[in-house]
Every structure is written in C-alpha cells, then in structure tokens.
Amino acid sequence: MGKLPREFYSRNTKIVARELLGKSLVHKREEGIILANIVETEAYLGLKDPGSHAYRRITPRNRIMFGPPGKAYIYFVYGNHYCLNVVTEKDGVAGAVLIRAGEPQKGIQLMRKNRRIDGPLTRLTNGPGKLTQALGITGSMNGIDLTGDRLFIMSDTGLGENRRPLKKFNIIRTGRIGIKKGRNLPYRYYIEGNKFISGKHPV
DNA sequence: AATCAGATTTCCT
DNA sequence: GGAAATCTGATTA
C-alpha cells in the first residue's frame, strides 16, 4: 500500500502502462484527499512512436517526457483540457503513460464540485480531460514529482466510498484513442468489463 | 442516436 | 493555416 517508488517508473513504458492498471491515483488538496483507481492507460513511446508528442525530437512542450522518470507530464489539448501522463524510462529517454480513465474512490463530492456536473459516477472520470478536471490537476503542475506527497500513485488501498477494491482482472489491449498517426499500434490498456472506461455510454 | 460548434495552445505535414 | 493524446451542450448539419 506504499507509494510507488521511482524504480517503478524507470522501466519500459508499455510495462508501466500495463502495471498502472488497478493502482490508486491520489491528489492531496487543502479541501481533502481525492483518490481514483486507474482503469485505462495508453503508452506513448519516444522518438520512434508517430503517435507520441516526443516523436522525432525534444520541444519545449514535450521536454518533461525526456527527463527523469516518476514526474508528471501535463499538457493542454484542444483549447480546453489537460491530460495527465506519468514519465517513464531512464533519464534522457522519452516515454510516458497517459492516464485515460479512473474509478472514483475518495473525495467524490470534491470531484463533482471540480467537474461542476451532476450525473452518474461513471461519467466523472471516464476520460483524460475529465479525470484531470475531477482531481483538480492543471498545467501549472507540469513536471511535479510523483514521489512527492502532493500527487502520487499507490497500490490499491482497498479503501474508498465507492466499492470494493479491484481484485483480479483481465487486461484488454487495443489501439490508442484520439490520434491519427500510430493509431494501429496496440498501446492502449484497460480493465476488462470496467464501467469507468472512456467513451460514450448508451442512455 | 449522431453530428456539430466552441473552448483556443502548441507544433508542424 | 490547420491539426491535435477532448469534452460539453445544442441541434438534427
């Protein structure tokens, strides 16, 4: 139930993406603790991955991806949203895992407040932009150290207001969402049957 | 149910 | 200039 150490992140990006499923993402704020279990991730590799921001070279935006593992790479997309990534691989090698969806466990009232939306729990954090908004994560936190005590990831505590801890689960691997180049590469991972995966629900 | 406009930054084919 | 690791609320394109 400890906080994941830097060695966890300092590994192959696809392995980290897979192993982050079922872990607990924690944001400590003045108002209280917000915690969600990670249920969907995508691996973004470095210079050779055409779907990655780090494709071909370092830029001011993607520089965090090239730095030490265990940091947060947070970027702004489509004029409105922030996406949270975890930096992987050794210092100097680009790689990151996009956290695409979570399952709310603690601080659900805070999440609803941050999202300024009513509706089912399953729509609170079922997408990368929704997740950061619910957790109160913005671009000013880009580069924050995930081995610190403000924003970090733990093994599933089994605590939570929502439901029992995730036990064993099957992992499904598919192509990544929302990109054109590199879409065919099977670098998206999610927990089979989970109700909090990104995407539209039928009404 | 499916589609569209709008929010508006960062980086280029 | 135009697309991009998105989402919401309004419209039916």
Side-chain angles (χ1 to χ4, degrees):
Chain A
M1 323 317 130
K3 189 182 302 179
L4 300 182
R6 197 171 312 282
E7 299 79 59
F8 178 91
Y9 303 105
S10 184
R11 294 184 295 157
N12 177 279
T13 305
K14 287 181 275 185
I15 291 176
V16 175
R18 182 178 280 270
E19 292 191 7
L20 279 173
L21 294 177
K23 300 288 194 294
S24 299
L25 175 62
V26 185
H27 190 193
K28 285 193 179 172
R29 316 190 71 204
E30 305 269 324
E31 307 94 311
I33 291 180
I34 304 183
L35 191 155
N37 286 347
I38 297 167
V39 300
E40 178 179 350
T41 61
E42 282 177 358
Y44 284 89
L45 279 37
L47 300 167
K48 302 301 251 295
D49 178 1
S52 173
H53 285 169
Y55 186 42
R56 295 219 284 234
R57 69 176 163 285
I58 190 167
T59 69
R61 178 174 64 162
N62 69 20
R63 68 185 172 80
I64 302 291
M65 279 181 78
F66 288 82
K71 308 259 184 169
Y73 169 46
I74 300 165
Y75 64 89
F76 190 71
V77 267
Y78 296 118
N80 254 27
H81 299 281
Y82 295 99
C83 291
L84 170 66
N85 297 253
V86 162
V87 176
T88 58
E89 308 283 355
K90 293 191 299 270
D91 191 6
V93 179
V97 175
L98 171 66
I99 314 294
R100 281 196 62 87
E103 176 167 338
Q105 295 289 353
K106 286 173 92 77
I108 290 168
Q109 291 317 311
L110 267 175
M111 293 197 215
R112 287 197 193 282
K113 186 175 148 214
N114 290 340
R115 294 266 292 128
R116 290 182 219 88
I117 198 169
D118 286 324
L121 201 57
T122 49
R123 293 199 186 172
L124 220 42
T125 55
N126 64 328
K130 297 178 187 182
L131 180 73
T132 53
Q133 190 182 29
L135 289 243
I137 294 167
T138 67
S140 64
M141 295 167 68
N142 187 32
I144 195 174
D145 193 341
L146 297 172
T147 65
D149 55 14
R150 216 169 126 217
L151 181 68
F152 54 90
I153 302 175
M154 311 176 64
S155 303
D156 186 3
T157 56
L159 303 175
E161 299 150 15
N162 173 22
R163 60 193 281 282
R164 277 182 287 279
L166 294 161
K167 294 282 200 237
K168 281 203 174 248
F169 49 81
N170 289 326
I171 296 174
I172 308 290
R173 190 175 58 141
T174 72
R176 292 172 293 188
I177 292 193
I179 61 173
K180 283 223 164 75
K181 290 182 296 191
R183 179 202 269 158
N184 50 320
L185 298 168
Y187 296 163
R188 171 174 176 248
Y189 304 87
Y190 66 90
I191 293 177
E192 183 177 37
N194 191 276
K195 302 294 186 292
F196 297 80
I197 300 304
S198 66
K200 307 261 186 233
H201 297 208
V203 280

